[in-house]
């Protein structure tokens, strides 16, 4: 059974160690229990959606939806965040698949879903 208290604590720990261009949503502890995890709303574009647009050759549509999103910058920020978590802080999000990553228009990488982590 899920224990969202552990996930919330993981989010807090990752947020405390977050680097530049990397965000972790705040946990709303007053609304979080073992069975419910409540976090701040994240405004951005799931990496899975961005990949789907790119693979379908719909870059013009992606540009219309996210006019300021520079994919090269966002991907560089993602790589730096993952590597920094692994090698600098030693505590890392261990499930960074495209459904667990949101890109903000400014290229900031937001990690979500903290059920798997490593150290």
């Amino acid at each position: 059974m899920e224990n969202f208290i552990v996930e919330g604590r993981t989010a807090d720990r990752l947020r405390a160690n977050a680097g530049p261009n990397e965000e972790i949503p705040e946990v709303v502890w007053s609304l979080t229990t073992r069975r419910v995890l409540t976090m701040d709303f994240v405004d951005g574009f799931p990496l899975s959606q961005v990949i789907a647009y790119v693979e379908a050759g719909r870059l013009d549509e992606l540009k219309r939806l996210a006019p300021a999103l520079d994919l090269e910058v966002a991907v560089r920020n993602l790589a730096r965040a993952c590597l920094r978590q692994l090698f600098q802080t030693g505590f890392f999000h261990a499930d960074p698949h495209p459904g667990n990553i949101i890109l903000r228009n400014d290229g900031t990488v937001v990690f979500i879903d903290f059920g798997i982590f490593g150290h």
Side-chain angles (χ1 to χ4, degrees):
M1 173 183 266
E2 296 282 341
N3 182 345
F4 290 117
I5 300 293
V6 172
E7 285 199 38
R9 287 183 183 142
T10 299
D12 283 350
R13 186 170 172 190
L14 286 168
R15 186 178 334 86
N17 292 316
N21 305 107
E22 173 185 356
E23 287 184 23
I24 308 297
E26 288 273 346
V27 176
V28 181
W29 284 108
S30 62
L31 299 173
T32 296
T33 68
R34 287 179 52 85
R35 299 186 68 191
V36 175
L37 177 61
T38 307
M39 303 183 85
D40 284 346
F41 176 76
V42 177
D43 188 23
F45 304 92
L47 182 56
S48 57
Q49 181 183 12
V50 171
I51 290 169
Y53 278 109
V54 171
E55 288 179 346
R58 297 167 50 197
L59 290 174
D60 55 335
E61 195 172 341
L62 177 61
K63 198 65 169 165
R64 184 178 53 76
L65 292 171
L69 180 61
D70 183 329
L71 289 177
E72 186 175 322
V73 169
V75 170
R76 187 177 321 119
N77 289 342
L78 174 59
R80 285 183 176 150
C82 289
L83 292 171
R84 192 191 54 70
Q85 287 178 9
L86 279 168
F87 298 113
Q88 192 171 353
T89 69
F91 185 75
F92 57 94
H93 188 295
D95 193 21
H97 65 75
N100 285 344
I101 297 168
I102 297 174
L103 303 178
R104 293 196 187 276
N105 229 345
D106 65 358
T108 298
V109 175
V110 183
F111 291 92
I112 59 172
D113 190 348
F114 308 99
I116 303 173
F117 62 92
H119 51 90

